[in-house]
Amino acid sequence: MIVWLASYPRSGNTFFRVLLNSIFDIKTYSIYGDKLDIGADKATSDVVGHAFLPQDYDLKKLREEETTYYIKTHDLPDQKISPEDKIIYLIRDGRESTLSYKKYTDTFVQSDKSLIDVISGNINFGSWGDHVQAWDPLNRPNTLLIKFEELTQDPTSQLASISRFLEVKPISDSIPTFEELQKINPKFFRSGKKDSWKEVYTEDDHLVFWLLHHKPMLAYGYSSNIHPQLSTLNRFKKERFNNSSNKNNLAVYDPDLRDFGHNISFNIHTLNILAKLYDTIYFFDIGGYVEKNFKEIPDNIIIVQLPDLLVHARDLLYANTSISIQKTKAIISGELPLDKIYPLLWSFIESYDVETLLLTSEGANRILYKTPPNIDFSIIVHIVWAMLKSLNTYSLSEDIKRTMLKTDSLFALEDYLAEALQPYNENVHRFPYMTYPDNYTLQEHFHDNNTVQFGTIGIMNERRNLDFLIQSIDKYPKPISYALYGQPLGEEGSRIVKLSSILEDNDTVTFKSRFEFLDDEIFEKTLKSLDYCILAYDEKRTLQASGIVYDCAKYGVGLICPDVVPFSLFAEIYPSMFTLYKSKNSASLHQAIDKVQNLDKDKLFQDINRFIDTHKISKERNYLKHIITHDMQRNDSAYIQFLEKQYTKLQKLEPSYNINKKELEVQKYMIENRDKNITKFKEMIENRDKDITKFKKMIENRDKDITKFKEMIENRDKDITKFKKMIENRDKNITKFKEMIENRDKDITKFKEMIENRDKDITKFKEMIENKKSHFTILYKMLESIDETSIISILKNRQTIFKIKQITKDNL
């Protein structure tokens, strides 16, 4: 029998072997032999309980033996692991493991690997997170998971679970402390401390670690000290499902934000138009560029500043291809491999739990090269002019073909461009370059009825055609008022400024110029000063003209343009707003200038108003809402068919293009994984339903218990009422008793007084009796001494005397 002691390096495996040796008297082995570290030192080997496997060992034969072999491994699970084997997986905070392993290699191997190499898995054992997820100890059968932190804090608390799992009984309760182990081998038992990574990890180290390993860290309870820029990662504590009904969030990222100034205003426009279509929009800003220029940020738009680490990584990826391979293996914060850069960026975006990612600007195709196969949100790419080689033929660059294969939907500027790209991706739609407020009203103007003000604005985009334009204006046979505005850069700009001096010397041209950077205020002022804007874009640059078309309409300025797409398409719909001339033909341009001077101004403003009305923000939002909803409702099988159809179309349209079928397989892999996740989700739903049924029963029982409890409460209340009445009656009786006591006391007092009065009366009576006795004695003596005369007189009154005698006798 085999028990595997598995862990990522420096995760407490050796300390656990010490515990097995000390408590259970179990000797353990290592699949590596450990002859350079543990096996090289007898004291260390003894305390660990280290033993060497037979030289030509066979795992199959070891399993057949009655002896149990406890074998340490740091490898990923492979064919040498049998389902019948038991596994004890040791896990430790990945930041501690990676740091400790870096220190270990410095001491025992003298490796040149950096900490970033270890964090990103650029070592023999791969990355910490990949190792944990490969072993999957929470779900792997026949597996016991032990956390290093709990093991070192209180080793004895783990003994019961270890004893049950291994079916062995402890023979001792003594285990060496980490301090004692350090004394035996301080190089090997280095620290064992918690949070020692804080002393060594840089901010970039910490960010890279969390971007790569956030899922296993949070899944295994290591949620403290999340990198502050990734606070949203707390969401991984909950189960995540790709259920669009639960969230309506959008992420927007422009890889070229720093490279092109016009991208700032375009991204602000994009955010404003999408703000009411999503509950929450996260915009990943670079250097605060958009946030600084956003005047009023809608409440549901959250500007997230990309960490510098990811910004630098992007710059390195776009490095000049002439740089040597050694240099382009790019080092961030020391030595971050280039192929690790975009996974970090994707992880950062993924941490915000969005339903959809919108990639704007032409840099979108670059980031999609490194799309991970397990992204669980939809990707929409905004196609702009620079992605196309030639608008006339609509041939696509290799970048665009890859982009289309990796994208759920595409947005293109203007209908004509969307139509042109339709054969390549059926889910391509128009995205307006600019919109106007619903209450916007055009202020019609012409500066002088006799003089029409012509001009060209934004000469940076026109510079390679300005020779033709300046020379044509110089040759115009009639008086003309012309202005040239914009910022000339470099030698080409200086040449244009010098060339424009010929117009200053021309007596028939009233020439104005402003050669400087046009900020929003200056741009608006200069554009308002024109009646007509003359453009000279050639076929390769016309897609850049979208912005000036919208700006001219905003301020009521007509356009004179070469007869090429998109101007020719606009002119069919708005003929008075767009006046065409043959490209690079001076005579044709002169005819166009003559034509507009006699043009009906009312028709011009009618066309401009129709253009503005078509592109008002509420209409554009309704259009986008419809197509976004439609695209997001595709099911998985339809999506796979869509991808296969894309591949077939590209083969027909571009036979020479050899698409790497792996890219299509990656997409299929994504769908299959999503199907597996959906199956798991269904199982979880079923289990949840079972749990809900159990919970309902618990609720019913709880309700019954509550009913019983209510009855008990009611009976208790009745008893309390009765008791209250008894208390009241008792109180009344006590009151009565008190009254009786008081009356009794009064009666006793009265009785005492009566007794006292009676005694007095008796005394008085006794005195009276004594007085009577003496009186009657005297009377008796007197009667005895009465003579005859007296007798005779008495006899006469004998009745009276008789009564007296009787009374005297009675009293005596």
Side-chain angles (χ1 to χ4, degrees):
M1 179 180 173
I2 294 177
V3 177
W4 293 101
L5 310 178
S7 70
Y8 191 75
R10 310 300 294 172
S11 296
N13 202 313
T14 304
F15 184 71
F16 182 71
R17 294 172 69 189
V18 171
L19 181 145
L20 290 180
N21 184 41
S22 303
I23 303 296
F24 298 97
D25 193 23
I26 291 175
K27 305 304 175 187
T28 55
Y29 305 84
S30 171
I31 203 165
Y32 314 107
D34 293 348
K35 293 180 180 180
L36 297 177
D37 44 37
I38 297 173
D41 179 70
K42 187 176 186 306
T44 306
S45 184
D46 290 343
V47 76
V48 171
H50 177 69
F52 291 99
L53 287 167
Q55 190 169 1
D56 298 320
Y57 69 88
D58 183 334
L59 292 177
K60 186 177 180 181
K61 290 181 180 179
L62 294 183
R63 288 189 183 95
E64 294 172 354
E65 294 184 22
E66 292 184 3
T67 304
T68 301
Y69 288 87
Y70 298 83
I71 307 174
K72 175 187 99 172
T73 180
H74 297 316
D75 292 349
L76 294 173
D78 53 22
Q79 66 274 10
K80 68 174 174 282
I81 308 297
S82 171
E84 65 194 63
D85 296 340
K86 285 188 175 184
I87 295 158
I88 295 179
Y89 190 85
L90 283 299
I91 191 171
R92 183 184 188 184
D93 186 325
R95 293 164 294 191
E96 296 293 349
S97 292
T98 51
L99 175 60
S100 183
Y101 186 70
K102 172 66 174 69
K103 299 286 187 181
Y104 172 85
T105 56
D106 289 347
T107 303
F108 290 96
V109 187
Q110 286 78 48
S111 169
D112 60 353
K113 298 293 185 181
S114 68
L115 180 56
I116 282 288
D117 280 326
V118 180
I119 291 171
S120 57
N122 190 23
I123 58 172
N124 293 336
F125 300 107
S127 74
W128 176 87
D130 289 343
H131 195 280
V132 173
Q133 290 180 311
W135 280 96
D136 192 17
L138 284 175
N139 300 305
R140 178 182 284 272
N142 223 15
T143 300
L144 175 65
L145 173 66
I146 293 179
K147 297 183 80 170
F148 173 78
E149 292 77 11
E150 295 173 359
L151 188 67
T152 53
Q153 185 176 0
D154 185 8
T156 56
S157 66
Q158 307 292 316
L159 296 182
S161 58
I162 295 169
S163 179
R164 282 195 303 271
F165 184 74
L166 298 178
E167 299 178 10
V168 294
K169 292 182 179 180
I171 62 171
S172 171
D173 58 359
S174 175
I175 182 172
T177 65
F178 205 88
E179 290 73 19
E180 290 171 338
L181 294 174
Q182 277 185 313
K183 290 179 181 179
I184 295 171
N185 193 335
K187 288 184 178 180
F188 192 87
F189 298 102
R190 188 185 61 83
S191 172
K193 293 179 182 177
K194 186 179 179 182
D195 293 338
S196 62
W197 63 268
K198 292 179 180 179
E199 301 169 7
V200 180
Y201 263 55
T202 65
E203 280 296 308
D204 284 348
D205 294 336
H206 199 206
L207 177 59
V208 170
F209 178 86
W210 272 106
L211 286 171
L212 291 175
H213 309 303
H214 52 262
K215 291 182 181 178
M217 281 289 283
L218 295 171
Y220 288 86
Y222 296 106
S223 58
S224 62
N225 296 296
I226 294 176
H227 193 280
Q229 286 178 294
L230 295 174
S231 57
T232 55
L233 284 172
N234 279 307
R235 69 184 179 83
F236 281 108
K237 291 178 182 176
K238 303 176 182 178
E239 291 292 338
R240 299 180 55 228
F241 304 112
N242 188 22
N243 187 346
S244 59
S245 63
N246 293 335
K247 54 186 178 182
N248 183 30
N249 300 335
L250 173 72
V252 180
Y253 174 56
D254 181 356
D256 285 337
L257 184 62
R258 297 205 313 174
D259 297 343
F260 300 101
H262 67 267
N263 288 2
I264 295 174
S265 58
F266 177 72
N267 278 291
I268 290 174
H269 154 68
T270 301
L271 293 173
N272 276 325
I273 198 171
L274 294 173
K276 293 189 178 180
L277 300 181
Y278 290 89
D279 296 336
T280 305
I281 296 178
Y282 298 98
F283 181 80
F284 298 107
D285 198 4
I286 297 175
Y289 294 151
V290 168
E291 189 169 25
K292 292 171 188 173
N293 290 277
F294 217 138
K295 292 180 181 177
E296 293 184 11
I297 303 176
D299 292 339
N300 65 325
I301 292 179
I302 300 171
I303 307 292
V304 179
Q305 297 302 324
L306 272 181
D308 287 344
L309 174 71
L310 303 183
V311 178
H312 296 160
R314 185 188 65 82
D315 289 344
L316 283 166
L317 190 67
Y318 296 167
N320 192 320
T321 53
S322 63
I323 297 176
S324 66
I325 294 176
Q326 286 77 12
K327 288 185 179 178
T328 55
K329 273 185 176 175
I331 307 302
I332 298 288
S333 299
E335 301 174 2
L336 178 62
L338 185 62
D339 60 356
K340 295 292 182 182
I341 291 169
Y342 269 135
L344 299 180
L345 182 57
W346 281 112
S347 292
F348 188 85
I349 294 172
E350 188 185 26
S351 74
Y352 283 83
D353 197 21
V354 293
E355 181 184 27
T356 308
L357 169 66
L358 172 63
L359 294 170
T360 64
S361 191
E362 59 245 42
N365 55 324
R366 298 184 179 107
I367 186 176
L368 286 171
Y369 288 163
K370 296 293 182 181
T371 311
N374 58 345
I375 286 295
D376 65 352
F377 49 76
S378 302
I379 300 174
I380 299 176
V381 174
H382 175 228
I383 303 288
V384 295
W385 58 269
M387 290 185 171
L388 300 181
K389 287 181 177 177
S390 170
L391 190 60
N392 275 0
T393 61
Y394 300 123
S395 65
L396 300 179
S397 66
E398 299 296 307
D399 290 351
I400 293 300
K401 293 169 185 175
R402 291 191 181 95
T403 298
M404 287 187 165
L405 283 170
K406 289 194 169 189
T407 309
D408 293 88
S409 299
L410 298 173
F411 282 121
L413 295 179
E414 305 306 340
D415 289 312
Y416 70 87
L417 186 53
E419 283 181 27
L421 298 174
Q422 197 78 34
Y424 300 92
N425 189 313
E426 61 191 37
N427 296 313
V428 61
H429 311 283
R430 173 180 59 78
F431 192 95
Y433 185 90
M434 185 185 294
T435 57
Y436 305 99
D438 290 334
N439 60 354
Y440 184 79
T441 304
L442 176 66
Q443 296 179 354
E444 300 177 4
H445 71 278
F446 256 75
H447 303 89
D448 191 317
N449 288 330
N450 299 319
T451 304
V452 179
Q453 179 65 53
F454 296 93
T456 300
I457 191 167
I459 64 172
M460 265 295 294
N461 294 334
E462 296 270 16
R463 62 186 181 275
R464 65 187 184 188
N465 302 301
L466 280 176
D467 292 44
F468 156 75
L469 198 56
I470 291 172
Q471 290 167 5
S472 296
I473 297 298
D474 184 51
K475 293 174 183 177
Y476 186 67
K478 302 173 186 178
I480 185 173
S481 181
Y482 181 75
L484 196 58
Y485 300 128
Q487 182 180 17
L489 296 175
E491 293 181 6
E492 179 68 10
S494 300
R495 190 185 66 79
I496 295 299
V497 173
K498 187 176 181 180
L499 179 65
S500 66
S501 63
I502 67 172
L503 297 179
E504 295 175 353
D505 299 333
N506 189 323
D507 295 335
T508 62
V509 179
T510 304
F511 181 63
K512 300 175 185 176
S513 64
R514 189 166 191 165
F515 297 121
E516 62 179 335
F517 173 71
L518 305 179
D519 60 23
D520 291 344
E521 185 178 348
I522 297 173
F523 181 83
E524 180 180 343
K525 185 177 179 181
T526 52
L527 191 55
K528 281 182 176 179
S529 70
L530 303 180
D531 295 314
Y532 280 94
C533 183
I534 302 176
L535 303 178
Y537 289 94
D538 56 34
E539 293 176 355
K540 293 182 179 180
R541 305 290 286 183
T542 50
L543 287 177
Q544 287 182 300
S546 293
I548 196 65
V549 168
Y550 281 86
D551 287 325
C552 286
K554 183 177 182 180
Y555 300 113
V557 178
L559 290 119
I560 299 174
C561 315
D563 187 6
V564 294
V565 175
F567 308 121
S568 57
L569 298 175
F570 281 131
E572 292 177 8
I573 307 170
Y574 311 102
S576 297
M577 180 179 172
F578 292 86
T579 303
L580 304 178
Y581 67 90
K582 292 180 182 179
S583 182
K584 294 192 177 180
N585 185 312
S586 295
S588 180
L589 175 58
H590 293 165
Q591 291 173 5
I593 293 172
D594 290 341
K595 179 181 178 180
V596 299
Q597 300 206 52
N598 300 314
L599 190 68
D600 185 338
K601 298 181 181 65
D602 290 336
K603 288 185 178 179
L604 169 65
F605 292 127
Q606 284 176 8
D607 273 2
I608 294 176
N609 272 313
R610 283 196 301 115
F611 182 89
I612 290 172
D613 187 61
T614 302
H615 296 91
K616 284 192 173 177
I617 193 164
S618 60
K619 290 185 178 180
E620 298 291 15
R621 277 195 183 127
N622 289 334
Y623 158 74
L624 288 172
K625 186 175 183 179
H626 169 73
I627 63 169
I628 288 170
T629 304
H630 176 267
D631 282 358
M632 292 304 105
Q633 286 177 344
R634 286 175 302 171
N635 58 41
D636 293 342
S637 59
Y639 184 49
I640 292 177
Q641 291 173 7
F642 161 72
L643 292 171
E644 292 174 339
K645 193 188 297 182
Q646 286 298 99
Y647 173 72
T648 304
K649 281 183 178 180
L650 286 169
Q651 288 294 311
K652 288 180 180 178
L653 292 167
E654 299 280 345
S656 61
Y657 177 61
N658 294 319
I659 181 174
N660 185 351
K661 288 195 92 171
K662 265 192 173 180
E663 295 185 0
L664 192 59
E665 292 302 320
V666 165
Q667 294 289 351
K668 286 186 177 181
Y669 174 76
M670 288 169 60
I671 298 301
E672 289 168 4
N673 276 350
R674 191 162 57 181
D675 290 340
K676 289 178 183 177
N677 289 333
I678 288 171
T679 303
K680 285 183 180 179
F681 180 68
K682 286 180 178 177
E683 290 175 357
M684 292 180 70
I685 293 295
E686 290 174 2
N687 290 331
R688 189 203 63 182
D689 292 339
K690 290 177 182 177
D691 290 340
I692 288 172
T693 303
K694 287 181 181 178
F695 186 70
K696 283 181 178 178
K697 288 181 180 178
M698 290 173 63
I699 294 295
E700 289 173 3
N701 291 332
R702 190 203 64 182
D703 292 339
K704 289 178 182 178
D705 290 339
I706 288 172
T707 303
K708 288 181 180 179
F709 186 70
K710 284 181 177 178
E711 291 176 357
M712 289 173 63
I713 294 295
E714 289 174 2
N715 291 332
R716 190 204 63 181
D717 292 339
K718 289 178 182 178
D719 291 339
I720 287 172
T721 303
K722 288 180 180 179
F723 187 70
K724 284 182 178 178
K725 287 181 180 178
M726 289 173 63
I727 293 295
E728 289 174 2
N729 291 332
R730 190 203 63 181
D731 291 341
K732 288 178 182 178
N733 291 333
I734 287 172
T735 304
K736 286 181 180 180
F737 186 72
K738 284 181 178 179
E739 290 176 355
M740 289 172 63
I741 294 295
E742 289 175 0
N743 291 332
R744 188 203 63 182
D745 292 341
K746 289 178 182 179
D747 290 340
I748 288 171
T749 303
K750 287 181 180 179
F751 185 71
K752 285 181 178 180
E753 290 176 354
M754 288 173 64
I755 294 296
E756 289 175 359
N757 291 332
R758 188 201 63 181
D759 291 341
K760 289 177 180 179
D761 289 342
I762 289 170
T763 304
K764 285 180 180 181
F765 187 71
K766 284 181 177 179
E767 290 176 355
M768 286 174 64
I769 293 299
E770 288 177 0
N771 290 333
K772 277 183 178 183
K773 281 181 177 181
S774 60
H775 289 152
F776 282 109
T777 302
I778 294 169
L779 180 61
Y780 189 78
K781 287 179 178 183
M782 287 176 62
L783 290 173
E784 284 182 344
S785 60
I786 294 175
D787 55 16
E788 292 181 358
T789 303
S790 299
I791 293 170
I792 293 170
S793 104
I794 292 168
L795 289 172
K796 290 180 179 179
N797 297 296
R798 63 183 181 272
Q799 190 68 29
T800 303
I801 294 169
F802 178 76
K803 286 181 180 178
I804 292 170
K805 281 184 76 173
Q806 189 64 38
I807 291 169
T808 303
K809 186 179 179 181
D810 291 338
N811 281 287
L812 290 174

